[in-house]
Amino acid sequence: MIVYTPANQRTLLLFRTPFEAALRPENRWVRMAEIVPWDEMAKLFLTKLSVNQGRPTVDLRIILGALMVAHIEDLSDVRAIEYIQENIYAQYFVGLPSFQPDPVFVPSLFVEIRKRLGSGGAAELNERLINEAAKLEVIKHRRKSDDGHNTFEVVIDTAPKTSEEVEQDTITEEVKVGGEQVEITGKAVADSKPGERNRGQMAIDATVAPVHISFPTDTALLANCRRQSERLLDTIFERFRAYWPVKPRTYRRDAEKKSTNFSKKRRKTKKDIRRALKSELACLQRNISHLHAMLDLLDEQQQACPWSHAAWRVFWIIQEIYRQQREMYASGRRSVKDRIVSIHMPFIRPIKRGKGGAKNTEFGPKINATITEGFAWSHRMDFNAFNESCDLPDQVEGYRRQFGYYPALVLADEIYWTNANRKWLKERDIKMNARPKGRKPKNSKYKQEKLRKRNNQRNVIEGKFGEGKNRYGLDNLRTRLPATIGADVHLTFLAMNLAKYVREIESGLFSVFYGIATWLMRQKMPLKVLMVRREASAATCQLAIRELWAPNLDCRKNF
C-alpha cells in the first residue's frame, strides 16, 4: 500500500504546533542547561566588557549559549544562528523565556565575541568548567587503599566553614595562557613530602589544528600574488589617469594563460614546476616595480594613495612572499624561515608532523594539550613549530595549580622522555611511562602486560584529538584572525569537556548511592565518613545523600 499526501494539504496554516505542551526534560539541551555553570562563566565574560560605556549588550546567557551551540554542533556562525532560530530546545538552552521566531542576534557578533574573549578568556572559560567538575568530584583522582581497591571518602561536616578557613583552602596564582595574564584559583596544598599527595594521572601530547585554507603550492601562491598586484595597480591607475596616458604593461592575459595551462597538467615534472615558478616570479617582479614607480610619482605630486589599510597590508605581504620564493628558487631549497603560505592569513606556518602520508605537513596552530579523567585543555598554542618536550614541567605545574597536587603518573610520547624531564619528575616522585635507561630489564609476563596496559592508557589523548577533529571541527578551523583562532580552539575543548561533564553527571550510578544512603538512613547510622569501593563519583554520593537527608536534617547549606 502506498501512502501519499498531496502538497495542497500540507500548508503552513494547517500545520499544528505542539508549543502548548511542555518541553521534554530528557532532551539533551534541557539536561545541559541545568548543568552548565552559567553564573561562573558570566562573571568571567563581565570582565571583558565595559560597564559604563556602550549600549546595553545582548543577554550574556544568550551569548554564551550560542557559542556552545555553535561548537557542540560544529556549525558556522550563520548556521548556528539559524539552528537556534529553528530549534525550540536550543532556544531554551541559550536562555530565552519562550519560543522566538527571530534570530537571537546577527552572526557577525560571533566575531566580536571571540575578539573580546581572546585566547586567554576562552581558556579561562574551560578552566571554570574543569574547576566545577573538580568541585563536584566528577574528576575523581583516587588513591589506592591497602587492599588495592580504589577508595574515596565523603565527609559530611555539619559545622560551616568561616570565610578565613575558605580562603586558607584556596590559592590564586597568575599564569600566562595564550599570551594573556590569567588568574587561576585552585586548592591549597599543605607542605608534605614529595609524592605523598600525588594523585591521578595526566596524558600529554601535541597536535595541529588545520585552518580552512586551500593547500598552498608555490605556483598557486605566486599566481595569487600576481593577481593581487594587478588589482592594486588598477586601483591607482583608475584614480589618477591623468598621470599615466597608458596603463603600465602587465601582460596579464599571457601570464594567466600560462598559469591555467600549467594547472591543467595532470603530471607536472620538476622541470615544468621550475619553469612555471620562473614565469610567475618575473611577472610579479615587474608588477611590484610598476607599483613602486607609481607610488613614487604620487609622492612627487603630493597625492595620497587611494589604497585602504587592507590594500597596503596585501602589498607588504606579496613583497615578502616574492622575497621568500625568490630565495628558495635561487638556492634550490624548499624551505625558508617564517614562510608565508596564505596572503590573507600570513601568520599561518607549515607544521611538519613527521608521520608521512597525505597529511605530513599541516597548516594551522600547533597545540600542546593535557588530559585527565577525560577532561582536556590546551596548555600552549603557537603558529610556529616548537618542541613540545620543553613544556612538560609547565604542564605538570599547571595540573598542580588546577587541582592542588601533582599527578602520580604522567603518560607521554617518546619525545617527552628526555633526561631533563626524567630528572624533574623524579625529584617530585612522579612516575612516567618512559622506558628505563640502561640494559633492558628481565620482567615477568605479568609485569610486561602491566606495563603494556599502562602505556596504552596514553591512547586516550589520541582519541580526544580524534573526537575534536572528527566531531567538533578541530580539523577545519574557519576563523581568520589569530585571536579568534585561539578562542576557537579553546572553545572546542570546552564543548568536548561539557559533553564529558554531562555524561559523568548523568551516569547510571545514582541508584547505587541512593540505595546506600537509604539503607544508612533506615539503620539510623551517623553519616560521618562513608567509604565506597565503586567506580563512581563522590559527587554522585553527595547528591544522593543530599536529596534523602536534607528534608530531615536542616544541613543542606553544609553540603
Side-chain angles (χ1 to χ4, degrees):
M1 183 177 71
I2 300 175
V3 179
Y4 174 71
T5 303
N8 57 5
Q9 296 184 18
R10 286 289 183 262
T11 62
L12 184 62
L13 295 177
L14 297 177
F15 183 76
R16 294 189 299 272
T17 61
F19 292 158
E20 63 274 5
L23 298 180
R24 297 176 66 87
E26 63 270 16
N27 183 273
R28 58 176 179 141
W29 294 114
V30 176
R31 300 198 312 265
M32 279 194 291
E34 304 301 327
I35 293 174
V36 176
W38 298 106
D39 295 339
E40 292 296 323
M41 293 183 175
K43 289 178 184 177
L44 170 64
F45 205 89
L46 281 172
T47 61
K48 307 293 181 180
L49 302 175
S50 176
V51 179
N52 302 321
Q53 295 181 354
R55 63 181 182 180
T57 64
V58 180
D59 190 346
L60 296 184
R61 167 70 184 271
I62 296 177
I63 292 176
L64 292 170
L67 275 176
M68 292 182 188
V69 169
H71 285 84
I72 290 172
E73 293 299 312
D74 186 23
L75 300 173
S76 64
D77 295 347
V78 175
R79 292 190 62 188
I81 297 299
E82 292 176 352
Y83 182 87
I84 297 172
Q85 185 180 356
E86 298 165 356
N87 193 325
I88 188 173
Y89 286 100
Q91 293 193 12
Y92 174 79
F93 175 76
V94 302
L96 292 177
S98 61
F99 181 77
Q100 178 178 310
D102 300 324
V104 288
F105 52 78
V106 293
S108 60
L109 184 59
F110 275 117
V111 181
E112 299 301 325
I113 294 169
R114 295 190 187 99
K115 285 181 180 178
R116 286 291 183 91
L117 277 176
S119 180
E124 195 171 350
L125 278 179
N126 196 21
E127 297 272 357
R128 297 288 176 94
L129 180 63
I130 294 175
N131 286 340
E132 190 71 16
K135 188 166 81 172
L136 291 178
E137 295 190 31
V138 174
I139 299 178
K140 40 191 181 294
H141 294 145
R142 296 182 294 270
R143 291 193 185 94
K144 293 285 185 179
S145 62
D146 296 337
D147 56 359
H149 292 281
N150 288 327
T151 67
F152 58 84
E153 61 180 0
V154 180
V155 180
I156 300 175
D157 189 2
T158 57
K161 290 186 177 181
T162 63
S163 58
E164 295 180 357
E165 291 175 341
V166 173
E167 290 180 0
Q168 290 175 1
D169 291 342
T170 60
I171 183 172
T172 303
E173 186 171 348
E174 286 192 357
V175 296
K176 203 168 185 179
V177 180
E180 301 181 13
Q181 289 294 125
V182 177
E183 283 191 358
I184 296 178
T185 302
K187 299 177 181 178
V189 182
D191 294 336
S192 58
K193 296 179 181 179
E196 186 176 322
R197 297 182 61 89
N198 294 355
R199 296 176 62 182
Q201 66 182 29
M202 58 178 287
I204 56 178
D205 202 359
T207 188
V208 178
V211 296
H212 186 69
I213 60 172
S214 59
F215 191 86
T217 60
D218 293 338
T219 52
L221 184 63
L222 285 172
N224 196 9
C225 290
R226 173 178 52 79
R227 298 185 190 101
Q228 292 289 342
S229 64
E230 291 166 357
R231 294 190 186 99
L232 295 176
L233 190 147
D234 293 343
T235 302
I236 297 179
F237 180 75
E238 294 296 334
R239 179 69 174 80
F240 299 99
R241 278 179 174 269
Y243 297 130
W244 295 278
V246 179
K247 181 187 291 188
R249 300 290 297 271
T250 59
Y251 302 95
R252 65 183 67 185
R253 282 181 291 184
D254 292 341
E256 194 64 31
K257 184 177 180 180
K258 291 180 181 179
S259 177
T260 303
N261 292 335
F262 173 78
S263 63
K264 287 182 178 180
K265 287 187 176 182
R266 299 186 62 182
R267 294 185 179 180
K268 303 177 180 64
T269 62
K270 292 183 178 180
K271 186 176 181 180
D272 294 334
I273 295 174
R274 192 163 179 83
R275 185 185 299 116
L277 287 173
K278 182 179 179 180
S279 175
E280 293 291 353
L281 285 169
C283 293
L284 184 57
Q285 182 185 19
R286 179 172 54 244
N287 293 349
I288 292 175
S289 300
H290 286 325
L291 288 171
H292 279 293
M294 298 172 80
L295 291 173
D296 290 341
L297 181 58
L298 291 179
D299 190 38
E300 292 176 1
Q301 299 295 329
Q302 297 182 353
Q303 297 288 343
C305 181
W307 291 345
S308 62
H309 175 75
W312 277 106
R313 180 172 178 268
V314 169
F315 181 54
W316 297 328
I317 291 171
I318 62 176
Q319 290 182 91
E320 177 62 19
I321 291 176
Y322 170 76
R323 185 196 66 79
Q324 292 180 356
Q325 294 292 332
R326 189 74 184 179
E327 179 181 336
M328 289 190 292
Y329 180 83
S331 62
R333 294 185 289 110
R334 301 180 62 182
S335 63
V336 68
K337 185 179 179 181
D338 296 330
R339 183 176 181 181
I340 298 176
V341 295
S342 173
I343 296 177
H344 301 289
M345 302 173 72
F347 50 87
I348 298 297
R349 300 285 180 265
I351 307 293
K352 299 292 288 186
R353 296 186 63 192
K355 297 183 179 180
K359 290 188 175 182
N360 187 36
T361 304
E362 292 184 318
F363 306 91
K366 187 173 182 179
I367 303 167
N368 200 5
T370 307
I371 185 171
T372 180
E373 298 287 338
F375 289 84
W377 63 92
S378 174
H379 171 75
R380 179 183 177 185
M381 189 190 70
D382 200 334
F383 291 100
N384 293 301
F386 60 87
N387 188 348
E388 56 267 27
S389 66
C390 302
D391 293 339
L392 185 141
D394 292 338
Q395 288 179 275
V396 176
E397 289 293 343
Y399 180 98
R400 178 178 177 273
R401 286 190 296 267
Q402 186 77 41
F403 302 108
Y405 42 79
Y406 286 117
L409 175 63
V410 174
L411 302 171
D413 202 359
E414 292 185 8
I415 193 172
Y416 293 90
W417 300 353
T418 62
N419 291 335
N421 287 343
R422 289 172 186 260
K423 181 181 178 182
W424 191 90
L425 293 174
K426 187 176 180 180
E427 291 173 353
R428 290 155 182 79
D429 198 20
I430 303 174
K431 296 181 180 179
M432 192 180 188
N433 64 325
R435 289 190 297 269
K437 292 283 188 176
R439 182 178 298 178
K440 186 177 180 180
K442 294 182 179 180
N443 296 325
S444 62
K445 291 185 177 180
Y446 169 76
K447 191 170 184 179
Q448 290 178 2
E449 183 67 14
K450 185 178 179 180
L451 292 174
R452 186 186 67 82
K453 288 184 178 180
R454 189 180 71 175
N455 291 332
N456 288 345
Q457 293 176 6
R458 196 189 66 84
N459 295 338
V460 66
I461 194 168
E462 299 288 355
K464 184 61 69 172
F465 288 154
E467 178 187 359
K469 292 185 177 182
N470 296 324
R471 172 64 181 83
Y472 294 95
L474 196 60
D475 196 36
N476 186 25
L477 301 179
R478 291 185 285 264
T479 48
R480 301 177 65 86
L481 300 175
T484 55
I485 289 176
D488 203 10
V489 169
H490 291 294
L491 290 172
T492 301
F493 278 100
L494 173 65
M496 291 190 289
N497 291 336
L498 180 60
K500 173 68 176 177
Y501 183 63
V502 172
R503 288 195 302 267
E504 288 294 321
I505 288 291
E506 297 183 346
S507 63
L509 293 167
F510 278 91
S511 58
V512 175
F513 294 101
Y514 270 106
I516 294 172
T518 304
W519 179 81
L520 289 172
M521 185 176 64
R522 289 175 181 173
Q523 298 295 324
K524 297 181 179 181
M525 295 176 62
L527 285 176
K528 185 60 179 176
V529 178
L530 175 65
M531 301 296 294
V532 184
R533 288 194 180 101
R534 292 279 184 179
E535 290 292 334
S537 170
T540 310
C541 183
Q542 288 181 353
L543 291 173
I545 296 172
R546 178 192 302 172
E547 294 296 329
L548 287 169
W549 280 61
N552 301 323
L553 301 176
D554 189 15
C555 59
R556 181 183 295 270
K557 61 183 180 180
N558 297 327
F559 286 93

